[in-house]
Amino acid sequence: MPEVIFTCYATDSAIEYIDVTATIETISTADLFDLIDDSPELHQIAGRYSDTIFSHVFGTGSIHEWLDEFLENDETLAYLSDDPVTLNRLAGNSSSSVRLLVSGNPFTPRPAINRLCLDNDLKVAIESAKHLRVSYRGQLALIAKAADWSAEDREELVTAIAYNPRTLPVALSKAATLSGDASTRHVIEARLKARKLARLPH
């Protein structure tokens, strides 16, 4: 998720330039989400700008207005929300960037993740295969779909499945058949062997 920066230098009312790396430091979206209207941090930031300057730079009347709009943004919600209903809704968003963020959100519910496994955007689909809540059925459906992908895309999918600690043996075995990389197949074989050994009586 891109970082949000509140920075600009001004002389009187004329803006000289906007610096996206310095002054008020970088504020990650997660940190920004924690700020509330009565927080000292937010007032400190807002106090550095007149509303005229802020409006000119950010296109809204004030930093508080901008923050309200920012927190209602679909990408922000997809990245930061922990509400299953919201995330389930955003999983069907028309923007692939929103769906990608939903597929990487640890709170996204399993039904939504399994739907995203079949997303037309390969990045979204592959990211979903990494999710700890993805079902083996979701991964198997994605593996079947990947038969028509390029070798590079198939390899990326296999890697995602191979390194997902929750991937079940049936999905690992199917994924191995798509891989042309010896080291990835070795990882899968090692995981399958470890699971067999774990079932042996001690």
Side-chain angles (χ1 to χ4, degrees):
M1 185 72 173
E3 290 187 317
V4 178
I5 319 299
F6 293 105
T7 59
C8 75
Y9 294 96
T11 302
D12 298 324
S13 61
I15 297 172
E16 294 178 352
Y17 64 95
I18 301 171
D19 185 338
V20 295
T21 58
T23 57
I24 307 177
E25 306 284 61
T26 60
I27 301 176
S28 70
T29 51
D31 290 337
L32 184 61
F33 197 70
D34 289 336
L35 297 176
I36 55 177
D37 281 347
D38 61 354
S39 72
E41 295 90 349
L42 188 56
H43 283 287
Q44 183 180 12
I45 292 169
R48 295 182 183 235
Y49 306 104
S50 70
D51 282 350
T52 301
I53 292 176
F54 193 89
S55 176
H56 187 85
V57 176
F58 293 98
T60 55
S62 70
I63 192 171
H64 298 284
E65 184 181 331
W66 185 91
L67 184 60
D68 287 342
E69 291 181 7
F70 173 77
L71 294 179
E72 292 176 0
N73 179 274
D74 283 344
E75 285 196 10
T76 304
L77 288 172
Y79 181 67
L80 297 174
S81 180
D82 59 1
D83 176 47
V85 175
T86 298
L87 292 166
N88 189 61
R89 172 178 63 80
L90 291 172
N93 194 280
S94 59
S95 169
S96 60
S97 61
V98 171
R99 298 195 306 277
L100 181 62
L101 290 168
V102 173
S103 65
N105 187 316
F107 295 101
T108 299
R110 173 173 283 188
I113 285 296
N114 287 332
R115 290 199 309 275
L116 289 169
C117 276
L118 299 178
D119 198 274
N120 289 329
D121 188 297
L122 297 191
K123 290 182 178 179
V124 174
I126 292 170
E127 185 66 29
S128 300
K130 302 176 186 177
H131 202 286
L132 295 182
R133 290 185 178 180
V134 65
S135 72
Y136 75 93
R137 289 187 179 88
Q139 288 180 329
L140 290 178
L142 184 51
I143 289 169
K145 186 178 179 181
D148 297 327
W149 293 4
S150 68
E152 183 179 353
D153 289 332
R154 286 200 306 270
E155 206 60 57
E156 188 176 352
L157 171 63
V158 173
T159 301
I161 291 174
Y163 286 93
N164 185 332
R166 298 284 181 85
T167 300
L168 294 180
V170 61
L172 285 170
S173 298
K174 289 281 187 181
T177 64
L178 293 179
S179 179
D181 185 90
S183 61
T184 302
R185 290 200 306 272
H186 178 74
V187 169
I188 292 175
E189 290 166 5
R191 287 194 60 187
L192 290 171
K193 184 176 181 180
R195 289 187 70 97
K196 288 180 180 178
L197 290 174
R199 293 196 196 98
L200 295 175
H202 296 291

